[in-house]
Amino acid sequence: MGIFDKLFRRNKNVETEEAEKVEEKKEELKEEIKEEIKEEVKVESTENTENIEKVENEVVEEVTKVEEPVKVNISQRLTKSKEGFFSKLKNIFTSKSKIDDSIYEELEDLLIQSDVGLGMTTNLINDLEKKVKANKISETSEVYEILKGLMSEFLLSQDSKVHLKDNRINVILIVGVNGVGKTTTIGKLALKYKKLGKKVLLGAGDTFRAAAVEQLEEWARRADVDIIKGREGADPASVVYDTLSKAEATKADVVIIDTAGRLHNKANLMRELEKINNIIKKKIGEQEYESLLVIDGTTGQNGLNQAKEFNSVTDLTGFIVTKLDGTAKGGIVFSVSEELKKPIKFIGLGEKIEDLIEFNAKDFVEAIFN
């Protein structure tokens, strides 16, 4: 069994899980419809029974047309990174006939240029040299395989799943600076969970940015979910309180809350997020909830710096990296996960609803290295 078989065998395909959930929802919906028909129509004769069965079959046929989860071809969406960063990475080893210091020097330059980050680059090079010497490796192709394994371990060692619990409110707090795709991401998440049969509620907590509420309202309309909003300039914490109160009253399954994306005033940001976190804890108790930072994958080290700032003022549980289909670097995925010791929960690979997918380390690594 190879190194990747060992590393990946415990990971279950995300799309398969979603497909199974949709199938379960279909069956539940079919049974509900049949029961409603039987309650509404009095069965007095064989003819009526046949009519009921005919109506049932027609409705069930429509239910069967529920949209299936679209499987995104990650490898195709990451073409820019594969042809850029990872192609150059492989060329370092295929162009050399022997292992010497120049390989490590070129590798260090490339990793830093590709947004992997200085800290992780240093660790990678040191670990790589140790393994090469310890195993008395002489072939450059073998060094490349070791490097793949080391980079993969940084991603595979963390739990990237968003675990939704039944019979309770699952809160997902979304933070991030303006322009990273925060509102769009919330809309895609809302539709994703709505399709899985969850009752979703949005909270428009970004009350400062012009048109932020209107944009979120449009996404709520597209996803056909409810939204709670306040007046422009209102206290974000009050909107969060109203949202969670509504969630309690309507027995919502998933609550997704938007927040202001102002990073220029760290003190104000800290106070706002602290108030919001206190409100959430007051309403749902000590149960865990997700606090996810949205990062633009094309911004590289700037995105990593943003992540460090937000991580210093709020207890993040993970990241959403958007626009990965538009970068030829791609190293941000490794650096943000390693340096901040928090997992990537979702990645954005395009503009369509289905292009926001749960991050699966196995699929990602296979796509970029193979």
Side-chain angles (χ1 to χ4, degrees), residues 6 19-21 30 67 91 102 167 179 247 255 345 359-360:
K6 292 178 180 177
E20 290 174 354
K21 290 178 183 177
K30 289 177 186 177
E67 184 178 353
N91 286 340
S102 66
N167 302 316
V255 175
K345 301 282 187 173
F359 182 68
N360 183 299

Side-chain angles (χ1 to χ4, degrees), residues 147-209:
L147 178 64
K148 285 199 299 184
L150 289 172
M151 295 185 73
S152 303
E153 288 171 7
F154 289 117
L155 301 179
L156 294 167
S157 61
Q158 300 180 9
D159 181 10
S160 61
K161 293 285 292 181
V162 172
H163 299 280
L164 299 184
K165 304 293 185 182
D166 293 330
N167 302 316
R168 70 173 234 188
I169 300 172
N170 294 274
V171 176
I172 303 176
L173 184 68
I174 303 294
V175 299
V177 300
N178 297 332
V180 296
K182 187 157 53 78
T183 307
T184 300
T185 296
I186 292 173
K188 291 178 178 179
L189 282 175
L191 189 56
K192 169 188 174 63
Y193 290 125
K194 177 67 182 291
K195 285 182 177 180
L196 291 177
K198 304 297 182 182
K199 187 168 186 177
V200 181
L201 180 65
L202 302 185
D206 186 354
T207 58
F208 297 99
R209 183 170 63 87

Side-chain angles (χ1 to χ4, degrees), residues 279-326:
I279 291 293
I280 294 174
K281 290 177 181 178
K282 181 179 179 181
K283 296 294 285 184
I284 69 173
E286 292 303 314
Q287 70 183 47
E288 295 180 354
Y289 63 94
E290 297 284 357
S291 182
L292 305 180
L293 174 66
V294 181
I295 302 172
D296 182 340
T298 66
T299 60
Q301 285 300 297
N302 187 40
L304 181 60
N305 291 334
Q306 291 171 13
K308 291 177 179 177
E309 287 293 314
F310 273 98
N311 198 45
S312 69
V313 299
T314 188
D315 186 19
L316 296 176
T317 58
F319 304 97
I320 300 175
V321 185
T322 62
K323 309 177 187 179
L324 279 177
D325 58 311

Side-chain angles (χ1 to χ4, degrees), residues 332-350:
I332 185 70
V333 172
F334 295 93
S335 58
V336 73
S337 182
E338 165 60 13
E339 291 198 26
L340 297 177
K341 309 300 182 185
K342 302 288 176 69
I344 295 170
K345 301 282 187 173
F346 295 91
I347 55 174
L349 299 171

Side-chain angles (χ1 to χ4, degrees), residues 33-199:
I33 292 171
K34 288 181 180 180
E35 290 301 319
E36 288 175 5
I37 292 172
K38 289 175 182 178
E39 287 291 328
E40 293 175 3
V41 182
K42 299 294 183 180
V43 183
E44 297 177 352
S45 66
T46 303
E47 182 181 355
N48 282 343
T49 302
E50 291 175 353
N51 288 337
I52 293 172
E53 290 177 351
K54 182 179 178 181
V55 173
E56 284 181 355
N57 290 336
E58 289 176 353
V59 176
V60 168
E61 185 178 347
E62 289 302 311
V63 173
T64 305
K65 295 178 182 178
V66 173
E67 184 178 353
E68 299 286 354
V70 178
K71 183 174 176 60
V72 176
N73 188 319
I74 301 177
S75 183
Q76 289 182 355
R77 300 299 176 84
L78 294 172
T79 298
K80 286 189 176 181
S81 286
K82 290 177 68 174
E83 293 178 349
F85 170 36
F86 294 99
S87 176
K88 293 176 182 176
L89 190 64
K90 194 167 187 177
N91 286 340
I92 290 178
F93 298 97
T94 57
S95 63
K96 303 286 185 179
S97 59
K98 64 177 182 177
I99 302 170
D100 55 27
D101 290 341
S102 66
I103 282 186
Y104 297 116
E105 291 172 1
E106 288 183 42
L107 180 59
E108 182 177 21
D109 290 340
L110 178 60
L111 291 173
I112 292 174
Q113 291 169 15
S114 300
D115 296 326
V116 170
L118 180 59
M120 183 178 176
T121 294
T122 301
N123 291 336
L124 273 173
I125 299 296
N126 289 338
D127 290 349
L128 184 63
E129 286 191 83
K130 289 178 183 177
K131 284 204 169 189
V132 168
K133 290 178 180 178
N135 292 285
K136 299 180 180 179
I137 302 293
S138 58
E139 297 293 329
T140 54
S141 59
E142 293 182 60
V143 180
Y144 179 65
E145 291 300 320
I146 293 175
L147 178 64
K148 285 199 299 184
L150 289 172
M151 295 185 73
S152 303
E153 288 171 7
F154 289 117
L155 301 179
L156 294 167
S157 61
Q158 300 180 9
D159 181 10
S160 61
K161 293 285 292 181
V162 172
H163 299 280
L164 299 184
K165 304 293 185 182
D166 293 330
N167 302 316
R168 70 173 234 188
I169 300 172
N170 294 274
V171 176
I172 303 176
L173 184 68
I174 303 294
V175 299
V177 300
N178 297 332
V180 296
K182 187 157 53 78
T183 307
T184 300
T185 296
I186 292 173
K188 291 178 178 179
L189 282 175
L191 189 56
K192 169 188 174 63
Y193 290 125
K194 177 67 182 291
K195 285 182 177 180
L196 291 177
K198 304 297 182 182
K199 187 168 186 177

Side-chain angles (χ1 to χ4, degrees), residues 175-277:
V175 299
V177 300
N178 297 332
V180 296
K182 187 157 53 78
T183 307
T184 300
T185 296
I186 292 173
K188 291 178 178 179
L189 282 175
L191 189 56
K192 169 188 174 63
Y193 290 125
K194 177 67 182 291
K195 285 182 177 180
L196 291 177
K198 304 297 182 182
K199 187 168 186 177
V200 181
L201 180 65
L202 302 185
D206 186 354
T207 58
F208 297 99
R209 183 170 63 87
V213 175
E214 288 81 359
Q215 289 175 6
L216 199 61
E217 278 187 298
E218 173 59 22
W219 275 109
R221 184 191 65 78
R222 293 186 196 179
D224 190 25
V225 301
D226 290 334
I227 181 173
I228 300 298
K229 58 182 181 177
R231 59 179 175 77
E232 186 176 341
D235 181 9
S238 68
V239 177
V240 173
Y241 182 88
D242 291 343
T243 301
L244 293 175
S245 297
K246 177 72 172 180
E248 290 176 333
T250 60
K251 299 188 184 307
D253 299 305
V254 180
V255 175
I256 308 174
I257 300 171
D258 190 15
T259 60
R262 303 174 301 163
L263 191 58
H264 62 276
N265 192 323
K266 187 174 178 179
N268 284 346
L269 177 66
M270 183 183 294
R271 283 195 293 269
E272 287 172 14
L273 290 176
E274 185 177 9
K275 286 175 64 177
I276 289 172
N277 285 319

